[in-house]
Amino acid sequence: MTTIEAHEDDRGGWTVLRLRGELDLVTSPRIRRRVHDVVAAGRHHLVVDLSGVVFCDSSGVGVLVAARRLLRSCGGRLRLVLPEPGADHAHVTRVFTALGVIRLFEVYEDVPAAVADRGPAIPAQPSAPVAPAAVTQAPPTRAPVARAVSPPPRTAP
């Protein structure tokens, strides 16, 4: 059975949500509710500490992407604390990197850095709509025209 623990505290204008355990299909709805409760209480600056998360699947990533969208819609910010790539719980960092979503978040090495006004270890990049790649077309080619070829004239033997 998968479990997750969530501990919340306030630090310098930021709400810090420390997660421990597995963030997956079973536990992610609980974390989604916690984020919504934080926002409903009028707290729009959230740090989610994932350094104690030992497993994260796509539903866990989806909760965090949705949390980012929710906080941005009300003028807030979301910062993540991810384990260093060689750390014990580096699985989460690998998942975020492999899915390409790490670029969406302000990622910090620890909670004190996340609540300080220092820049993130990995700055978030604005989420702009991705424009389709320009398609270049080769100029139209003409199909070879079949011409009737008459057989050579017959000669008498």
Side-chain angles (χ1 to χ4, degrees):
M1 182 166 120
T2 61
T3 61
I4 192 146
E5 295 175 17
H7 301 283
E8 185 180 315
D9 66 319
D10 291 321
R11 289 178 132 194
W14 289 86
T15 299
V16 178
L17 189 60
R18 292 179 189 266
L19 304 181
R20 302 276 180 263
E22 299 177 12
L23 183 55
D24 58 16
L25 182 63
V26 174
T27 62
S28 59
R30 183 171 157 205
I31 302 309
R32 177 177 283 121
R33 278 191 303 278
R34 291 291 293 264
V35 170
H36 281 266
D37 291 346
V38 166
V39 173
R43 297 175 291 179
H44 299 150
H45 298 299
L46 178 63
V47 173
V48 178
D49 180 1
L50 299 167
S51 61
V53 174
V54 295
F55 177 80
C56 182
D57 68 9
S58 61
S59 58
V61 173
V63 165
L64 295 168
V65 170
R68 176 184 179 267
R69 191 175 328 123
L70 173 65
L71 286 160
R72 287 173 57 107
S73 73
C74 55
R77 294 173 73 181
L78 174 64
R79 293 178 173 178
L80 300 181
V81 174
L82 290 175
E84 291 291 322
D88 290 340
H89 303 299
H91 164 79
V92 177
T93 304
R94 287 191 308 271
V95 168
F96 274 71
T97 303
L99 293 175
V101 297
I102 198 165
R103 66 182 173 77
L104 298 176
F105 298 97
E106 294 177 55
V107 177
Y108 292 81
E109 58 195 28
D110 56 26
V111 172
V115 298
D117 283 332
R118 299 182 292 213
I122 302 172
Q125 297 180 8
S127 56
V130 178
V135 177
T136 56
Q137 292 182 337
T141 57
R142 294 185 183 206
V145 178
R147 300 185 190 254
V149 179
S150 46
R154 292 184 163 227
T155 55

